[in-house]
Amino acid sequence: MTATSVLVPSSAGHARTRARLAVSAAAGGGVLSEAQLAAWLRDRRAAQPQRVERVPFAALRGWDFDAAGGDLRHSSGRFFSVHGLRVRSDFGPVAAWDQPIIRQPEVGILGIALRYFDGVPHLLMQAKAEPGNINGVQLSPTVQATKSNYTRVHGGSAVPYLEHFRRAAPGSVVADVLQSEQGSWFLHKRNRNMIVEVGPEVVAEEDFAWLTLGQVNALLRQDDMINMDARTVLSCLPDWRQGEAAGDALHSDADIRSWITDRRAVHEVSAEPIGLARTEGWHRDEKAVAREDGRHFSVVAVDVSSGRREVPAWSQPLIEPHGTGIAALFVRWAGGVPHVLLRARAEAGFLTTVELGPTVQCVPENYAHLPAGSLPPYLSEALERRAKARYDVLLSEEGGRFLHARSHYMIIEVEDEVPLVSDEFRWVSTPQVDELLRYSHHLNVQARTLITALRTL
Amino acid sequence: MTATSVLVPSSAGHARTRARLAVSAAAGGGVLSEAQLAAWLRDRRAAQPQRVERVPFAALRGWDFDAAGGDLRHSSGRFFSVHGLRVRSDFGPVAAWDQPIIRQPEVGILGIALRYFDGVPHLLMQAKAEPGNINGVQLSPTVQATKSNYTRVHGGSAVPYLEHFRRAAPGSVVADVLQSEQGSWFLHKRNRNMIVEVGPEVVAEEDFAWLTLGQVNALLRQDDMINMDARTVLSCLPDWRQGEAAGDALHSDADIRSWITDRRAVHEVSAEPIGLARTEGWHRDEKAVAREDGRHFSVVAVDVSSGRREVPAWSQPLIEPHGTGIAALFVRWAGGVPHVLLRARAEAGFLTTVELGPTVQCVPENYAHLPAGSLPPYLSEALERRAKARYDVLLSEEGGRFLHARSHYMIIEVEDEVPLVSDEFRWVSTPQVDELLRYSHHLNVQARTLITALRTL
């Protein structure tokens, strides 16, 4: 490899990509008509029957609680493990607790291939069954693979399209950024979120379809249709609804970055791995690790059989949340520029202490035992205004790790009289969000879903 | 606090700040003439006598090796501690090792105040003695304070100027970003690097002086004069030698970001805390924790007396490196734009696995026992070209943690025939570096020093 002296514009491709994405977003049908898409979805659901059965931990094949601390691990040492975590935190109403948490130190790839058909970008979406999905098949990215998957630890078949992401050509990468996942359930988890342009030699295999952004956006307005992995990758697309110019905002970019830095410096969160057997307040029986008071979530085990995955049948642990989450984003237009109200959140599993979450993110049931006044800020305002929400869709979290984990995602337009209750909140313009999403660990996975949802409006 | 609807340009202040910094960089004297600056420096050295004496660990006041694992800690639980770390890494010639490492989970503030005198920005630099400095006093930022310092755990006096950084007014922040420090010696350490504009009410107290950027740059070309903390903060200034436009580069911004993401996804580094007493290959005696083969560094203890610090006398551990480091940055002009050759380095203590370091970063003595061919890429090329280096200055690392830790920092201009030896290396344009420095954890502390040095040329 030798250095070449050919120069490219630093921001090569951005303006062109944005303009073409706007065309794709406006397109109803593309390679597939609306009717063909509906038929393909029905067909894929029928073709991917999946049986998911709760089993005792003792029936897990290859998984065991280790003798020392009781952590739940796979015998290969790969995939993921369920640890105990002891948390001390100055964020939120509870100062210290123990909990199980998923550790998955490998960086996986979540990648969507983008191909032009008659100049219109199409995204290659995959119909994929996951054991934790309430409805079996949802639409996932082209590639959704852990390193264990793509280095074939479980001896399965090769991951289709993987090489387009592992060896993306210069100039073909639209986005490529590490992003976190649920900080309450994952310790330091991050996945590579990629969008890569591919050529006409790349065709849709069985279970895959080329969709316009308009078609994807329409599906995003239906419950449980676009999976979490696809939603986070989509949030990393350049925002096609705006130009390249930075424009005006309520706070300068420098002040927004300074606010994030300040929140990271202020909060003190310690998250110390302890054995799962030593988590106080949690109890393990044959079929679950759960809290004695029934709150938050359980760790459970499932047996999965399907003719359509890389491995014909397998068993694995899953996290089963108790209660349905609420993730609400307040939006207001200031000087013609949309701004979103983000909250700087310190979640126990974040690598960088603080990321920006939605205005409201919680499972209301988990607050029932706490003193009045412990409820998250803006929750009651969100619920009061819910009838006028611009977006209100029930979406699933990652079905490969979570069993029937669902949240109501809402976008609520507010006037400017909403007072900010603390320095944890800031109005951030959507062009500023777009810039933050080019760098890792600024918006959490719930906020990224809501940014993806906002772009469908 | 209520949201206001006053909009500001997103990039408010940048262009103006850059233009004024250029004026400051061109200024020889400012508030102080060259002669006055020289006299002030002599005077401050004389006024800050400091006695630093190696003592046995048993003589440390407030510090003890803990009974469980032998880690060295302060009885307050604050400041920092020296742990044992077990590392497995696929970066560099050694796959697994144990080592002591400093843990300092608090986020400190490194801040430089910037004030306009007749329209010319001046930086408030502090003459500060540190126990590990080879020459006592060096120039540090206006504020260089751990959280333990500024929350006054040791009962000392207040940190001057601190409130200008802790409560910076909107619009006054030039830079504010968390940056890492030495990944071989610190576990997940990060400090807040800030530059804040202040008004004419802020005056220079004893030990402080307002310097133009031209004066600071001249001092950066002298050995051991500008300390590490000042150098890293200075690297976060917007680059005054370029305009706002992104311009051309050898690789697009998207491709540079994708390269960083790829390097972070590819490398697997595990760094597991173990007790200091359990570090294999290391031995503790009365006065040092050191390797049996004498390589790398020792952990030692010092007793410090000084009439001029927040606390009159104290004792503390320090890391004493063996050998003088080399940090070399290759620079080439492509299409009129300077590019620097950065190496994606996985250092054991990095929070994000990989940051970009200089072309060469090593202590050559540490490679003496390894097979031929283990020497870092480009080291011999750097040494061959050293006589023609554009910059070759001996600089100290942080004197509050390291005893006489020094490296030769070199900037070497090369033609474009230098072949890239692996995907660990990329030519990155200086405007791209400027952008990466607005976000945390992209350039390591050695690369940041060299970027600061490059701007003096």
Side-chain angles (χ1 to χ4, degrees), chain B residues 36 72 224-225 366 396 429 437 453:
Chain B
Q36 285 171 318
L72 182 56
D224 299 313
M225 190 60 86
N366 290 336
S396 299
S429 76
L437 283 168

Side-chain angles (χ1 to χ4, degrees), chain A residues 4 8 10 176 249-250 253 258 435, chain B residues 8 10 176 249-250 253 258 435:
Chain A
T4 150
V8 295
S10 271
D176 184 1
L250 288 168
D253 298 350
S258 181
E435 172 72 11
Chain B
V8 294
S10 269
D176 185 1
L250 288 169
D253 298 350
S258 181
E435 172 72 10

Side-chain angles (χ1 to χ4, degrees), chain A residues 110-291:
Chain A
L110 307 178
I112 297 182
L114 182 156
R115 179 180 153 189
Y116 291 94
F117 290 86
D118 293 333
V120 180
H122 284 58
L123 305 173
L124 187 58
M125 303 302 291
Q126 179 183 180
K128 186 176 173 69
E130 293 279 10
N133 285 350
I134 200 138
N135 55 349
V137 169
Q138 298 189 11
L139 291 195
S140 82
T142 315
V143 166
Q144 177 182 319
T146 63
K147 216 172 196 176
S148 294
N149 277 146
Y150 65 73
T151 54
R152 301 164 73 176
V153 169
H154 52 28
S157 49
V159 176
Y161 306 106
L162 180 64
E163 294 310 305
H164 296 287
F165 297 91
R166 290 187 82 184
R167 316 212 189 291
S172 71
V173 175
V174 178
D176 184 1
V177 59
L178 296 181
Q179 298 289 11
S180 71
E181 295 181 8
Q182 285 81 359
S184 300
W185 298 333
F186 282 118
L187 184 62
H188 302 172
K189 167 87 175 284
R190 47 201 198 148
N191 269 327
R192 188 170 179 179
N193 285 233
M194 302 183 78
I195 297 137
V196 172
E197 287 184 22
V198 297
E201 73 285 1
V202 179
V203 298
E205 298 180 17
E206 198 181 44
D207 293 331
F208 293 83
W210 292 106
L211 304 188
T212 64
L213 201 46
Q215 288 174 317
V216 171
N217 285 342
L219 293 170
L220 273 161
R221 302 182 60 85
Q222 300 179 29
D223 288 353
D224 298 313
M225 191 59 86
I226 303 289
N227 83 355
M228 183 193 91
D229 307 71
R231 300 192 305 266
T232 169
V233 176
L234 291 167
S235 76
C236 300
L237 277 172
D239 189 348
W240 58 87
R241 301 169 316 153
Q242 65 191 47
E244 279 298 299
D248 290 344
L250 288 168
H251 306 284
S252 73
D253 298 350
D255 281 344
I256 291 295
R257 287 193 298 262
S258 181
W259 168 63
I260 296 169
T261 301
D262 180 69
R263 294 292 92 197
R264 289 178 171 170
V266 161
H267 284 297
E268 296 200 356
V269 177
S270 85
E272 182 200 353
I274 58 172
L276 184 57
R278 283 191 282 272
T279 48
E280 275 181 40
W282 295 77
H283 173 77
R284 182 177 120 201
D285 65 21
E286 280 181 10
K287 294 190 76 167
V289 178
R291 279 175 64 93

Side-chain angles (χ1 to χ4, degrees), chain B residues 200-360:
Chain B
E201 73 286 0
V202 179
V203 297
E205 298 180 16
E206 199 180 45
D207 294 330
F208 293 83
W210 292 106
L211 304 188
T212 63
L213 201 45
Q215 289 175 317
V216 171
N217 284 343
L219 293 171
L220 273 161
R221 300 184 60 85
Q222 299 179 29
D223 288 353
D224 299 313
M225 190 60 86
I226 303 290
N227 82 357
M228 182 193 93
D229 308 71
R231 299 192 306 265
T232 169
V233 177
L234 291 167
S235 76
C236 299
L237 277 172
D239 190 348
W240 57 87
R241 301 170 315 154
Q242 66 191 48
E244 280 298 300
D248 290 343
L250 288 169
H251 307 283
S252 74
D253 298 350
D255 281 344
I256 290 294
R257 288 194 297 263
S258 181
W259 168 63
I260 297 169
T261 300
D262 179 69
R263 294 292 90 197
R264 288 179 171 168
V266 161
H267 283 297
E268 297 202 354
V269 177
S270 86
E272 181 200 351
I274 58 171
L276 184 56
R278 282 190 283 273
T279 48
E280 275 180 42
W282 295 79
H283 173 76
R284 181 176 121 202
D285 66 20
E286 280 182 8
K287 296 189 75 167
V289 178
R291 279 175 64 93
E292 287 142 14
D293 59 19
R295 276 193 291 273
H296 297 296
F297 61 84
S298 306
V299 182
V300 301
V302 294
D303 203 87
V304 190
S305 52
S306 150
R308 300 296 314 277
R309 217 171 183 263
E310 301 94 320
V311 174
W314 76 97
S315 58
Q316 69 167 87
L318 288 172
I319 296 252
E320 181 182 32
H322 302 168
T324 302
I326 288 180
L329 187 66
F330 285 9
V331 182
R332 71 183 255 233
W333 269 250
V337 182
H339 285 65
V340 295
L341 184 58
L342 298 178
R343 180 179 190 184
R345 297 180 59 84
E347 299 182 10
F350 286 157
L351 192 64
T352 49
T353 314
V354 165
E355 296 191 16
L356 307 183
T359 316
V360 179

Side-chain angles (χ1 to χ4, degrees), chain B residues 176-190:
Chain B
D176 185 1
V177 58
L178 296 181
Q179 299 288 10
S180 72
E181 295 182 8
Q182 284 81 0
S184 300
W185 298 334
F186 282 116
L187 184 62
H188 302 173
K189 167 86 176 288
R190 46 202 200 147

